[in-house]
Each structure stands twice: as structure tokens, then as C-alpha cells.
């Protein structure tokens, strides 16, 4: 970022709110005064010109540059607030309450920013999708109420509803960006009727949609427009997965054009949920992260043709920077917080960032920096923000005791510095990065790997424990389709596909239904267990009897014959062992095997095992993996082992 260009980010902590300048200084914005009381929420206008925050008894509106107070609205208990696209109006939402006179509580209010006058008010019980949706020019405002879409003209709020459309069963409405606005309506699946999405032109609203798509398995949806407003992605989800594969329902992805000349389902080649979808700022392509972990990431064009496949990795987030030049692939939430920055032109990786515990991540308006924040109440420790350069280095660290909200001040893309043809170099880090390291708290520490027991350290990881992107076997869904509960995603109860029998041929809910240990030979039930209920008990009695015979034979005692001589002792036979089936892949012991090796051969075998383990450790060191002191000492002893092996070989 050029040194003359300064960005702001806002922080809302437990009892204070502050504005901080971005690169290159990271100091508090001059003129802004900490309110000194708990702050409910804050909001920037889309152009970054205005800034407002809500206190328990008042809402204050500032000019963002210089923090000059413009308006003070005496409204108590405001939970949500939002600016219209051009910052002409501000909406506030309070929790609905019962009024003493029995009238409805008008808890959604709209004010003029310039005068502070209340223009119109509504009753809005749900906090979800609480605000009116505006066109980018603020020519129209749209609200979904009960069974109809209501349209207002903000310049004439006093006239009320100027147009409306009857839409029985609609549960969601979304207004497109762009100069020729449209509205998309989602109708959930109900009483056997399929779900659907219908698109209407807003300027000529009538009962005939310009585009529509019907589909099953959709209880709710996300609607994501491209920046031109010409195409829309619909991510549908069911509350319950009827195939019994997941606790989290089924997801699907559809693409529709507003003109009605193209619509299709986006076919994804890996089973599992859709984690994230994002449009590129050029409106010509979009990215999808999907599938059971490790998930796949892929870019498609506007005709759903594959542009690039990034393969499988533990990610669940995708995001383009505002210029569309860089792409972020990250794994947040229950994943480790690793962020890969990818150059969209070359599709090569620019940098990898380790941002553990991140609960919020956002590109700067110039597209050269990333903000990662650890927010409360998701995590109540290590709250704060970190600013990273797109090439990887950490630029700034700001810890906060309790942080609830963090964001960049919006800046139009055309006003931000040009990105250029090459990735810009990182500026000098702020002193906070050095201070964090000096105080014994490294600002960017690599998370520790998974625990490994001492006996497994220094050895290669078995394939069954590896992720798919590390060479392990692909995940196999574990649902049975019989209505029984299934484990969450990522937990593989059994290596068998759904509906298939275990390797030994027994039924899953029968004798062989006990859990299969990964990597172990399949278990086989005793052949004597029959359909009768007493089969298992008879087998136990027979084993006990045979055991007594063995003990008697081992003592050297035998039965006395009538002529006074001692009868020969007959070796007892274990019936269950004689009837056991050799597990597949196992080799029965043979005469002359490992049990009958002489001491020299056994010692040579052990030395060869040590050499093989040392070779694996050396391979790990070549890959850049950190070795423990005991492992390094083992490598140093390689020459002694080889010398001893040569001596034994010469002796034999």
C-alpha cells in the first residue's frame, strides 16, 4: 500500500469503541473520542463517508474523516443499525416489546441522516433480514411482509407502498446490485410441492417472472448476486438429511441469469456439504468450496465450466480481494486457521498464513492486506486483530480484552491505489509485531502438530490416518439409510460403504456388528455359533473342557489303565482354533519362520529394522519436518549400526 494512502479499521470492545488508522501508522484516528460506555454495535456507510454507533440510550452519526459528529438520535435499546447504499438514510432496529396501550411496537425506524428526522416506521419482529433492501441508486426500497413484496420510493416515504407483488409462500427476498435491479424470491419446499426461485424485474414489477427454477430438497437458501446483477447463485439446504449421511442436511448449488436465458445445477464431483461460495469482482466467474474434509476448491466460469481445480485441502472459506487479483482459501472455525493466498492470474500460491482461532477475516479495500480477528463470545481469550500483508508477513498486532466487532472502513475500488501487474512488496511491520515477540508472545506462531505416542514418533504415518490430500484413502460416507443416527462429518465409524456387509460376511447388527479397528485384520466369529440361542454358551463350555485337558497334559499326568499301567497322554485339540478361518491377507506361521531363527539372524533382522527407521527419519528431515533430539541421536548412530551389521554378515 502506498504510504500516502491510509485506511481505517474500527474496533468494538466490551466497554469502548475506537477508530484506528491503517498502514503506515496504526494509531487512533485524530478527533475520535471514546464513548466510555458499552457500545451495542457500529456501522460504516458503503462509501466509507459516514460512521455510526449505538449506545444504550442514543445513536451517534459521525463523518468518518476526522470523526466529526453530525447527528445524535435519542433512541434507546438499538440492537441493529444500517445505512442506505448512498448514506442518505439510516435504519435502526430494537427488540419488539408489548406497549401498555396495546398498540404494535414500531421497532424498525428509518431516519434522514442530514436532518435526523424519523421518516417512516414498521413493526419487524424477526431480527433475521430485518432491514429494507435498497437499489444501488436508492430509487426503490423493498420489504417482504407476510405474503407480499412491498416496494417504496425513499424520496417519497410519506406515500407508503407504491407497488406490491403477491407472493404466497415466499420466505426470502433479495435485491440485485446494478443499474437495472431485479428481485429474487425463494419459496421453500412445502407439502410435497418443490422449492423454487423466481426472479422479477423491479422497475416493471408484474406476476410473470423473468427467470425461475424449481428443485427439491430445499428448506432454506442463500442468494448471492454477482456485482453486475446479471446472474445469481442459489445455495439450498435441507434441515434433515433423508439419506442419513450427515447431521447437517443436504446442500445444492444452482446458477440463474436474470434474463432467463441460462439456468442449471452446478454439478460437484465430491460428496459432502457446500462450505462457501464467492463471486469474483469481474462477475464472470465464481469459486466453490465443497465436500467432506479435506474439501475441494474449484473455480467455474459464468457457464459453469471448470476454470481451475485447486484439489483437496482442509479449507472451508473462499474469498476474492476487491480487485479480483488475489484469492483466499482458508480453514476457519473447527479447522486450524491456515490461509493460502493465490495469484488469480498465474493460479500459483503467493503465501501461506497461519492465523489460528480466527473468527473473522476481511480484505482491505486496496486488496493488499488481510485483517484476521478473534472475536467474543466465540472465544473469550486471545481477542484482538492482526493485519497481514498479502505476501505473508505480519504487519500489526492489536490485542483487546473482549472484542465483539472489527471491520475495515469501506473505500470505493476506483479510489484505492492501483494493484499493479506484480504483487507489491510488504512495508515495514509496525512496532507492535516486535513488541509482541519481545514480550514472549510470538505474534505468528506455528500451531503444534497432532499428538503422537512415543512408539509412533519418527515413523511414517499409516495411510489410514492420513487426510485425502496427504495421500490417504478418500472418505467413505457412513450412513446406512435405515433411519438410524449417524456420526458427524469427518468421523468414519466403519471402513465399509453404506449398506454393505462387513468383510467377514456377517450382518452389521448381528454378531459381527462390533466396531472395526482401523488397520486391524477383520474379525471372524466362531464357526460354531449357529442360529440357536445356546450356540455361544456351548462353545464356551467346550473351550473350558479343552483347557482342562491341556492343563492335565502339561502336568504329565494321565488316566490309569485297568492293568495298572499309565495310559498315553493324548494331545488335546482346541476345537474353536481348528475351526477358525485365517483372516484375509494374513500368513499362517510356517516351520523355519521367525520363531526358529538363531540369535545371529534375529540380531541382523533388528539392525535392518533400525536402518529402515533411520532412512524414514532422513526423508522427513529432507521434507523440512522438525525432528526431536532422540530422533537426531538415532540418525547419528547409523554408522555404528552398519558397522555391526557388516561384522555379523562376515561372521555368518
Amino acid at each position: 500500500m502506498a504510504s500516502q494512502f491510509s485506511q481505517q479499521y474500527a474496533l468494538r470492545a466490551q466497554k469502548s469503541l475506537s477508530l484506528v488508522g491503517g498502514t503506515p501508522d496504526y494509531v487512533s484516528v485524530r478527533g475520535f473520542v471514546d464513548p466510555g460506555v458499552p457500545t451495542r454495535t457500529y456501522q460504516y456507510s458503503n462509501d466509507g463517508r459516514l460512521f455510526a454507533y449505538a449506545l444504550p440510550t442514543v445513536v451517534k452519526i459521525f463523518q468518518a474523516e476526522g470523526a466529526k459528529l453530525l447527528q445524535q438520535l435519542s433512541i434507546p435499546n438499538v440492537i441493529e443499525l444500517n445505512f442506505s447504499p448512498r448514506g442518505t438514510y439510516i435504519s435502526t432496529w430494537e427488540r419488539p416489546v408489548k406497549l401498555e396501550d396495546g398498540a404494535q411496537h414500531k421497532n424498525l425506524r428509518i431516519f434522514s441522516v442530514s436532518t435526523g428526522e424519523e421518516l417512516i416506521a414498521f413493526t419487524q419482529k424477526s431480527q433475521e433480514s430485518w432491514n429494507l433492501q435498497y437499489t444501488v441508486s436508492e430509487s426503490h426500497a423493498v420489504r417482504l411482509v407476510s405474503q407480499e413484496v412491498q416496494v417504496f420510493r425513499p424520496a417519497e416515504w410519506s406515500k407508503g407502498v407504491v407497488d406490491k407483488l403477491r407472493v404466497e409462500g415466499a420466505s426470502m427476498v433479495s435485491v440485485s446490485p446494478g443499474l437495472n435491479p431485479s428481485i429474487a424470491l425463494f419459496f421453500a419446499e412445502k407439502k410435497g410441492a418443490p422449492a423454487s426461485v423466481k426472479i422479477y424485474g423491479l422497475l416493471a414489477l408484474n406476476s410473470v417472472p423473468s427467470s425461475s427454477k424449481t428443485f427439491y430438497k430445499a428448506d432454506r437458501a442463500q442468494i448471492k448476486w454477482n456485482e453486475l446483477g446479471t446472474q445469481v447463485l442459489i445455495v439450498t439446504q435441507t434441515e434433515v438429511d433423508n439419506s442419513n449421511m450427515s447431521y447437517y442436511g443436504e446442500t445444492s448449488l444452482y446458477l440463474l441469469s436474470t434474463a432467463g436465458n441460462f439456468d442449471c445445477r452446478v454439478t460437484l464431483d465430491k460428496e459432502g456439504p457446500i462450505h462457501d461460495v464467492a463471486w469474483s469482482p469481474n462477475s464472470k466467474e465464481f469459486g466453490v468450496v465443497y465436500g467432506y474434509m479435506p474439501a475441494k476448491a474449484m473455480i467455474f466460469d459464468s457457464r459453469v465450466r471448470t476454470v481451475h481445480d485447486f484439489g483437496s485441502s482442509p479449507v472451508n472459506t473462499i474469498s476474492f480481494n476487491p480487485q479480483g487479483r488475489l484469492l483466499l482459501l482458508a480453514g476457519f472455525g473447527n479447522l486450524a486457521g491456515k490461509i493460502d493466498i493465490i495469484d488469480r492470474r498465474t493460479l500459483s500460491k503467493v503465501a501461506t498464513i497461519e492465523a489460528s482461532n480466527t473468527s473473522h477475516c476481511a480484505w482491505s479495500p486496496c486488496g493488499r492486506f488481510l485483517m484476521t480477528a478473534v472475536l467474543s463470545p466465540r472465544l473469550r481469550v486471545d481477542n484482538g486483530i492482526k493485519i497481514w500483508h498479502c505476501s505473508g508477513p505480519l504487519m500489526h498486532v492489536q490485542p483487546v480484552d473482549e472484542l465483539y466487532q472489527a471491520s475495515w472502513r469501506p473505500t470505493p475500488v476506483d479510489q484505492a491505489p492501483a494493484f499493479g501487474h506484480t504483487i507489491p512488496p510488504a512495508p515495514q511491520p509496525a512496532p507492535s509485531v516486535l513488541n509482541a515477540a519481545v514480550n514472549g508472545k510470538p505474534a505468528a506462531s506455528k500451531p503444534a502438530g497432532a499428538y503422537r505416542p512415543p512408539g509412533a514418533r519418527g515413523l511414517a504415518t499409516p495411510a489410514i490416518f492420513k487426510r485425502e490430500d496427504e495421500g490417504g484413502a478418500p472418505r467413505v460416507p457412513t450412513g446406512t439409510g435405515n433411519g438410524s443416527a449417524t456420526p458427524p462429518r469427518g468421523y468414519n465409524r466403519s471402513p465399509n460403504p453404506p449398506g454393505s456387509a462387513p468383510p467377514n460376511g456377517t450382518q452389521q447388527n448381528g454378531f459381527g456388528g462390533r466396531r472395526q479397528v482401523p488397520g486391524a485384520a477383520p474379525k471372524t466369529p466362531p464357526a460354531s455359533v449357529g442360529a440357536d440361542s445356546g450356540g455361544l454358551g456351548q462353545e464356551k463350555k467346550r473351550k473350558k473342557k479343552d483347557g482342562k485337558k491341556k492343563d492335565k497334559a502339561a502336568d504329565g499326568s494321565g488316566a490309569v489303565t485297568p492293568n495298572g499301567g499309565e495310559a498315553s497322554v493324548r494331545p488335546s485339540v482346541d476345537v474353536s482354533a481348528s475351526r477358525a478361518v485365517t483372516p484375509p491377507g494374513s500368513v499362517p506361521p510356517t516351520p523355519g519362520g521367525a520363531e526358529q531363527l538363531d540369535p545371529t539372524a534375529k540380531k541382523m533382522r533388528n539392525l535392518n529394522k533400525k536402518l529402515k527407521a533411520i532412512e524414514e527419519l532422513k526423508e522427513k528431515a529432507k521434507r523440512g519436518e522438525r525432528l526431536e533430539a532422540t530422533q537426531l541421536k538415532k540418525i547419528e548412530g547409523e554408522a555404528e549400526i552398519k558397522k555391526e551389521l557388516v561384522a555379523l554378515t562376515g561372521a555368518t
Side-chain angles (χ1 to χ4, degrees):
M1 191 187 311
S3 59
Q4 66 269 18
F5 179 72
S6 178
Q7 300 179 98
Q8 288 180 345
Y9 57 86
L11 300 172
R12 181 169 70 90
Q14 182 185 21
K15 294 184 179 180
S16 65
L17 186 144
S18 59
L19 295 181
V20 182
T23 299
D25 46 17
Y26 300 104
V27 296
S28 298
V29 172
R30 183 178 301 174
F32 182 77
V33 180
D34 184 347
V37 294
T39 311
R40 298 290 181 86
T41 184
Y42 75 81
Q43 191 72 34
Y44 277 110
S45 61
N46 288 358
D47 55 8
R49 181 174 54 90
L50 302 172
F51 175 79
Y53 62 78
L55 300 177
T57 58
V58 69
V59 173
K60 293 186 177 183
I61 305 173
F62 296 83
Q63 180 179 308
E65 195 67 37
K68 178 184 177 182
L69 181 63
L70 299 178
Q71 294 293 340
Q72 190 164 297
L73 309 176
S74 298
I75 320 170
N77 304 320
V78 169
I79 303 298
E80 300 277 3
L81 53 85
N82 208 349
F83 285 99
S84 60
R86 294 187 174 182
T88 309
Y89 313 100
I90 185 171
S91 306
T92 65
W93 185 85
E94 314 149 39
R95 294 197 187 280
V97 297
K98 291 184 178 181
L99 301 179
E100 294 180 357
D101 58 1
Q104 287 187 328
H105 180 205
K106 304 285 188 179
N107 61 322
L108 169 56
R109 308 184 192 184
I110 298 176
F111 297 84
S112 170
V113 171
S114 59
T115 65
E117 177 188 0
E118 182 176 331
L119 302 174
I120 195 170
F122 306 93
T123 298
Q124 175 66 33
K125 293 183 179 180
S126 174
Q127 187 175 359
E128 184 179 1
S129 303
W130 64 273
N131 196 19
L132 281 75
Q133 298 185 49
Y134 296 83
T135 60
V136 291
S137 63
E138 295 185 353
S139 61
H140 294 78
V142 174
R143 185 168 180 249
L144 178 62
V145 182
S146 186
Q147 303 296 319
E148 67 180 18
V149 174
Q150 297 178 349
V151 182
F152 302 84
R153 285 197 178 95
E156 302 172 328
W157 285 113
S158 58
K159 291 186 177 180
V161 179
V162 297
D163 200 357
K164 60 185 178 181
L165 176 66
R166 184 73 178 175
V167 285
E168 185 175 354
S171 57
M172 184 179 183
V173 64
S174 178
V175 177
S176 73
L179 300 177
N180 188 21
S182 301
I183 61 171
L185 289 161
F186 171 71
F187 301 80
E189 189 176 358
K190 187 176 180 182
K191 295 181 180 179
S196 64
V197 169
K198 297 180 181 180
I199 299 177
Y200 298 85
L202 181 59
L203 302 182
L205 197 62
N206 55 58
S207 58
V208 180
S210 60
S211 179
S212 64
K213 181 77 173 176
T214 59
F215 36 77
Y216 285 95
K217 298 183 180 180
D219 298 325
R220 58 180 185 270
Q222 300 176 47
I223 299 177
K224 298 196 174 188
W225 294 93
N226 62 4
E227 288 198 4
L228 296 178
T230 56
Q231 287 187 310
V232 61
L233 288 167
I234 312 295
V235 184
T236 64
Q237 185 173 0
T238 59
E239 298 287 349
V240 178
D241 184 359
N242 292 327
S243 65
N244 206 30
M245 296 291 185
S246 169
Y247 283 139
Y248 307 99
E250 298 178 70
T251 54
S252 299
L253 181 62
Y254 301 88
L255 177 67
L256 285 79
S257 66
T258 56
N261 54 4
F262 182 79
D263 65 78
C264 74
R265 177 174 179 171
V266 181
T267 304
L268 304 174
D269 58 358
K270 184 173 185 178
E271 290 187 10
I274 296 171
H275 302 285
D276 198 16
V277 178
W279 279 101
S280 170
N282 63 17
S283 296
K284 297 179 181 178
E285 60 188 27
F286 60 93
V288 188
V289 178
Y290 61 95
Y292 295 110
M293 289 294 162
K296 289 193 70 174
M298 192 173 289
I299 298 178
F300 297 90
D301 65 9
S302 58
R303 292 286 170 174
V304 199
R305 295 182 290 250
T306 301
V307 175
H308 185 71
D309 183 353
F310 292 101
S312 298
S313 58
V315 296
N316 57 12
T317 304
I318 184 170
S319 175
F320 291 85
N321 76 340
Q323 293 74 22
R325 175 62 189 278
L326 298 176
L327 175 68
L328 171 152
L329 288 174
F332 298 134
N334 60 349
L335 298 179
K338 188 180 81 167
I339 303 172
D340 287 335
I341 308 296
I342 297 168
D343 187 343
R344 175 59 192 88
R345 291 186 181 178
T346 62
L347 294 172
S348 60
K349 186 185 296 186
V350 175
T352 297
I353 296 171
E354 299 290 346
S356 59
N357 298 329
T358 296
S359 50
H360 172 73
C361 180
W363 286 101
S364 65
C366 68
R368 307 184 184 197
F369 294 86
L370 269 176
M371 172 195 290
T372 61
V374 180
L375 303 180
S376 182
R378 187 182 183 276
L379 283 177
R380 298 191 181 274
V381 295
D382 297 331
N383 280 194
I385 69 160
K386 293 180 181 178
I387 307 295
W388 310 79
H389 190 260
C390 63
S391 60
L394 181 62
M395 296 286 100
H396 176 60
V397 179
Q398 185 160 340
V400 181
D401 289 339
E402 272 190 84
L403 181 63
Y404 288 88
Q405 189 177 352
S407 66
W408 295 96
R409 174 186 171 187
T411 302
V413 176
D414 55 355
Q415 296 180 19
F419 198 91
H421 296 288
T422 59
I423 305 298
Q428 287 294 323
S432 60
V433 177
L434 179 61
N435 294 339
V438 170
N439 293 333
K441 295 180 180 180
S445 59
K446 188 174 180 181
Y451 171 78
R452 302 192 72 180
R457 293 172 188 170
L459 303 177
T461 304
I464 194 167
F465 296 116
K466 289 183 179 179
R467 296 198 309 260
E468 184 178 343
D469 57 316
E470 295 176 340
R475 180 194 183 278
V476 178
T478 58
T480 59
N482 58 5
S484 61
T486 57
R489 291 194 306 267
Y491 177 81
N492 200 349
R493 185 186 295 268
S494 168
N496 307 314
S500 65
N504 54 21
T506 59
Q507 295 302 316
Q508 191 70 13
N509 295 327
F511 182 85
R514 56 173 67 97
R515 197 172 81 175
Q516 177 73 22
V517 179
K523 297 180 180 179
T524 56
S528 61
V529 178
D532 60 297
S533 59
L536 189 58
Q538 293 175 4
E539 180 64 24
K540 288 182 178 179
K541 291 179 181 178
R542 189 183 296 110
K543 284 185 177 181
K544 187 175 181 180
K545 185 176 180 181
D546 293 339
K548 289 181 179 179
K549 289 182 179 180
K550 284 185 178 180
D551 294 340
K552 195 172 182 180
D555 293 339
S557 60
V560 180
T561 59
N563 59 6
E566 185 175 356
S568 60
V569 178
R570 297 182 181 180
S572 62
V573 180
D574 188 347
V575 178
S576 61
S578 66
R579 295 183 181 180
V581 181
T582 303
S586 65
V587 180
T590 57
E595 294 79 0
Q596 301 182 14
L597 289 176
D598 59 18
T600 303
K602 286 184 179 180
K603 194 168 185 179
M604 291 176 64
R605 182 186 63 182
N606 293 335
L607 291 174
N608 283 320
K609 285 183 179 179
K610 291 181 180 179
L611 289 176
K612 184 178 179 182
I614 289 173
E615 289 299 323
E616 292 176 350
L617 290 176
K618 291 165 70 175
E619 288 295 325
K620 289 182 67 175
K622 289 180 182 179
R623 296 196 296 266
E625 296 185 32
R626 181 177 173 275
L627 299 182
E628 298 179 2
T630 54
Q631 294 172 327
L632 295 173
K633 189 174 181 180
K634 187 181 291 186
I635 294 177
E636 293 174 359
E638 182 181 13
E640 291 295 329
I641 295 174
K642 287 183 176 179
K643 185 177 178 181
E644 188 176 353
L645 185 61
V646 170
L648 290 174
T649 305
T652 56

